[in-house]
Amino acid sequence: MGLFVTFEGVEGSGKTTLINRLYDEMLRLGYSVVKTREPGGNKISEQIRNIILDVDNCEMDYRTEALLYAASRRQHLVEVIRPALEAGATVICDRFLDSSLAYQGHARGLGIEKVYDINLYATEGILPDVTVYIDVAPEEGLSRITNSHRKVDRLDLETAAFHTKVREGYLLVAGMFPDRIRVVDGSQPLDRIYADIKTIVFAKIPRR
């Protein structure tokens, strides 16, 4: 089996930039590596992503939101993640189950354990080998989004208090899974953050 690496963080934490950098370096070094994202990553899951993030769907019920994420995750796992891992590749995924725990479980108030159970059913208990959580203050992350050209989605429109709760949720989840989730200070210079990420990820590869 390959190595399953996931990245987590609040909106604007810099995950995508860092994932792209890691992916490119691993390719140059000759690793078999697959880069993907959630929600999305394949046709059906991308369609679900469009529903979840559409700014016209602000009336969406919180449980509906949690179930849509789990459904998207299931299809993504079956079509993309599990086949790549079975082929021996390293899978680098932008968000996975921990996002649901932080956003829907904690920030939405549905309960981390309840959302965890929903997602364990969806994934048949498959969890990442290592998760990198990039920790930045929500106001900093939202400021980065405002100053970028990224399209605003439904979650970007949430209140500052909501995004603060998301960060609280991530830190709670990191405390629940200290052997799997590694916290990286996202306020550091980009090169320093990337160096920390490389240390975490490459330390796992030789043991595979």
Side-chain angles (χ1 to χ4, degrees), residues 106 112 165-177 181:
H106 185 72
I112 289 175
K165 291 283 285 183
V166 171
R167 185 192 188 194
E168 289 175 0
Y170 270 125
L171 293 172
L172 284 171
V173 173
M176 292 169 62
F177 303 101
I181 301 177

Side-chain angles (χ1 to χ4, degrees), residues 54-100:
D54 192 328
V55 294
D56 292 330
N57 291 336
C58 289
E59 72 278 13
M60 186 179 294
D61 176 79
Y62 294 164
R63 292 193 185 198
T64 299
E65 181 181 75
L67 290 166
L68 284 172
Y69 274 113
S72 173
R73 183 162 296 128
R74 172 63 187 177
Q75 194 67 29
H76 184 217
L77 177 77
V78 170
E79 287 195 34
V80 179
I81 296 173
R82 191 164 61 192
L85 291 174
E86 289 173 350
T90 294
V91 174
I92 302 173
C93 189
D94 188 341
R95 299 194 183 281
F96 193 64
L97 171 148
D98 298 301
S99 285
S100 290

Side-chain angles (χ1 to χ4, degrees), residues 125-142:
I126 293 176
L127 293 171
D129 294 298
V130 61
T131 298
V132 178
Y133 165 57
I134 303 170
D135 185 43
V136 298
E139 55 270 23
E140 171 63 23
L142 293 173

